[in-house]
Amino acid sequence: MLKNLFSLDTSLDKRVFGLDVMRAIAILVVVDAHARVALGDYYSGAFWHQLIPDGVELFFVLSGFLIGGILIRSYEKKGRFDADLLLNFWTRRWFRTLPNYYLVLGGLIGLALVRAWRSGLHHTLPPKETLVKYFFFVQNFARFIPDFFPETWSLAIEEWSYITLPLVLWLMHLLLPASWPRQRIVLAAILTVIVGTNLYRFLLAIHYPIEDGELGFRGIVLARLDAISYGVLAAYAKHYFPAQWTHPRLRQRLFVAGLLLTVLVAFSASIYILRFYVEAGVYPAYVFYKRTFYFPLIGLTMMLVMPYMDGWRNATGGWSRFGIAQIITHISLISYSMYLLNLTPIMLMIIERFPTTSLAVGWAKVAVFWVLVLVSSTLLFKYFEKPVTALRERLSKKEPTLLNEQKTGLPVQ
């Protein structure tokens, strides 16, 4: 009975195992970071944590790769970019992300109001003018996100990227010379977003004094519109340079280089090394680096691993034994539900209601946290996210999964 309750009934044939591995790693890194909250003052930090790249940045690159591939295939198949293509693209993206988000957001608001009513005290929700911003993903549009449901900063960046990039591509299609091939127009659109956003960050970085710190650029929509574009650049390389993309030796070299460089970039921006910057007297340079060059570097280095991971189609060898592949795919499938549920609904509203009085209590809270996250996310995916996402097949046109008459094998987002 329990097996049927938690079984996702999803075919693995059309999935790319390497991309599932990336998605699983990304969400596990994010949830692990939030799990440490349960340890409180007993968490002393671990050196290996400083070598782990930001899971959210990995999500951005992977999402850009998948979404970029869909956008490029749609553009190439239709031969033009128009309102129908744009609206269909948005409809399918929003059926994937909005229902789950609004369900959890509404649940948090409702729970806060019920708690206030039962206690006779005023609710702990932010002011109405702040709360309404969450319904339009502008809670962190030009400034850092408030304390309420803070993990949604990255979702807001993704949603605005889904709006911005297609609009830029449409504009390029209309304004650039008709003699330009679509390949060049796509590249122009991607570079416009990347260069434009980096220029915006750079101008703000030199405008504000170093004493103001990093300015929270990591979580501000206007400063991160390029976040998924590095993944889109990978999708561009895949579809327009297939021979290089599928070259085995090149894939391996790029993977090794990307992995090493990603770890190096992550470590260069870690808290562990911060004191060395201060002692060496280069802290101002570090702040400027975190305001500007860190973001394109982490995106580009993560992009380098995409050819290899995209070529890892099936789980073989040890990966296929002992249910390892099934576990990874399961976590990949429920990753969006895990993202929405792990911090505010579970950690802050349930786990942290119990004080951490010792290290043993802290680890017990961590264990309970992980169980609740995995169980609740599985149920949310199976009984809400998956059925609602399936509705888009009846309300929108299927996007092309073929380019040059070859299957991509990518799971549609």
Side-chain angles (χ1 to χ4, degrees):
M1 180 179 176
L2 284 177
K3 184 177 181 180
N4 292 333
L5 181 65
F6 293 103
S7 174
L8 300 183
D9 301 321
T10 300
S11 173
L12 305 183
D13 296 338
K14 296 182 180 180
R15 302 190 67 82
V16 178
F17 183 67
L19 301 185
D20 278 337
V21 170
M22 290 184 69
R23 191 184 286 105
I25 289 174
I27 192 60
L28 291 176
V29 169
V30 169
V31 177
D32 173 67
H34 296 159
R36 300 172 214 164
V37 173
L39 295 174
D41 294 336
Y42 293 95
Y43 176 70
S44 57
F47 177 75
W48 65 272
H49 274 151
Q50 313 305 321
L51 302 178
I52 298 177
D54 190 334
V56 175
E57 299 299 330
L58 185 56
F59 264 127
F60 283 149
V61 173
L62 179 58
S63 177
F65 177 71
L66 297 171
I67 297 304
I70 291 170
L71 200 57
I72 292 170
R73 290 194 299 272
S74 299
Y75 183 35
E76 286 287 355
K77 182 177 180 181
K78 196 163 190 177
R80 67 182 187 278
F81 205 101
D82 55 24
D84 286 341
L85 190 157
L86 185 65
L87 291 176
N88 191 66
F89 175 82
W90 283 341
T91 299
R92 295 184 67 83
R93 299 294 76 70
W94 289 334
F95 260 100
R96 176 70 177 84
T97 58
L98 298 191
N100 247 22
Y101 171 72
Y102 286 130
L103 177 68
V104 176
L105 177 62
L108 291 174
I109 295 172
L111 184 59
L113 293 175
V114 168
R115 282 182 173 177
W117 173 70
R118 291 184 62 184
S119 66
L121 302 174
H122 192 270
H123 62 74
T124 57
L125 294 170
K128 291 180 180 178
E129 57 272 19
T130 299
L131 196 59
V132 73
K133 293 180 180 180
Y134 283 81
F135 289 89
F136 300 97
F137 297 98
V138 292
Q139 62 266 41
N140 58 317
F141 191 76
R143 60 183 63 187
F144 203 69
I145 196 167
D147 292 335
F148 175 73
F149 210 5
E151 59 268 43
T152 58
W153 66 268
S154 55
L155 182 59
I157 290 172
E158 287 231 14
E159 294 298 334
W160 280 102
S161 297
Y162 296 163
I163 294 173
T164 303
L165 182 63
L167 285 177
V168 172
L169 180 55
W170 191 10
L171 188 64
M172 292 292 178
H173 175 78
L174 293 174
L175 297 182
L176 292 175
S179 59
W180 276 38
R182 287 186 292 276
Q183 177 180 344
R184 188 184 299 178
I185 293 173
V186 170
L187 181 60
I190 298 170
L191 293 181
T192 296
V193 174
I194 291 176
V195 174
T197 308
N198 276 278
L199 181 60
Y200 173 76
R201 278 198 302 264
F202 187 83
L203 292 175
L204 286 182
I206 61 177
H207 175 74
Y208 288 96
I210 292 296
E211 291 76 17
D212 289 349
E214 297 174 22
L215 301 177
F217 280 173
R218 175 176 179 261
I220 298 176
V221 170
L222 284 177
R224 298 303 311 279
L225 287 175
D226 63 328
I228 75 167
S229 295
Y230 304 101
V232 179
L233 195 59
Y236 170 88
K238 174 184 177 178
H239 293 304
Y240 293 115
F241 301 95
Q244 291 84 351
W245 185 267
T246 57
H247 193 283
R249 186 172 297 179
L250 181 59
R251 274 179 167 174
Q252 292 174 357
R253 290 176 177 175
L254 289 175
F255 176 77
V256 172
L259 198 60
L260 293 175
L261 289 172
T262 297
V263 170
L264 180 61
V265 172
F267 184 69
S268 73
S270 67
I271 296 176
Y272 179 85
I273 203 172
L274 184 59
R275 69 175 185 270
F276 295 104
Y277 292 138
V278 175
E279 293 171 359
V282 295
Y283 178 72
Y286 163 79
V287 172
F288 189 79
Y289 164 69
K290 283 298 295 290
R291 290 181 180 182
T292 54
F293 303 116
Y294 168 75
F295 300 111
L297 281 176
I298 196 68
L300 289 170
T301 56
M302 288 180 173
M303 184 189 78
L304 295 178
V305 308
M306 291 305 307
Y308 183 87
M309 300 305 286
D310 180 53
W312 190 1
R313 296 283 159 163
N314 302 300
T316 57
W319 294 97
S320 60
R321 299 172 188 168
F322 312 113
I324 296 175
Q326 287 83 354
I327 292 172
I328 289 173
T329 302
H330 185 100
I331 292 174
S332 173
L333 287 167
I334 67 172
S335 60
Y336 182 49
S337 293
M338 289 177 68
Y339 161 80
L340 289 172
L341 293 176
N342 83 96
L343 182 56
T344 299
I346 295 178
M347 176 57 75
L348 301 183
M349 300 195 74
I350 298 177
I351 302 298
E352 280 302 279
R353 292 175 68 85
F354 301 92
T356 305
T357 55
S358 67
L359 183 60
V361 171
W363 281 113
K365 288 170 63 177
V366 169
V368 173
F369 167 73
W370 274 104
V371 171
L372 289 177
V373 168
L374 292 171
V375 170
S376 61
S377 299
T378 298
L379 296 176
L380 179 60
F381 173 83
K382 181 172 183 176
Y383 295 105
F384 184 77
E385 181 182 342
K386 186 180 176 182
V388 172
T389 302
L391 288 176
R392 69 182 181 181
E393 303 305 330
R394 288 186 285 177
L395 299 174
S396 63
K397 300 175 185 177
K398 284 190 175 182
E399 291 162 318
T401 56
L402 301 175
L403 186 67
N404 298 329
E405 305 302 322
Q406 294 180 350
K407 290 187 177 181
T408 65
L410 293 177
V412 177
Q413 287 281 304

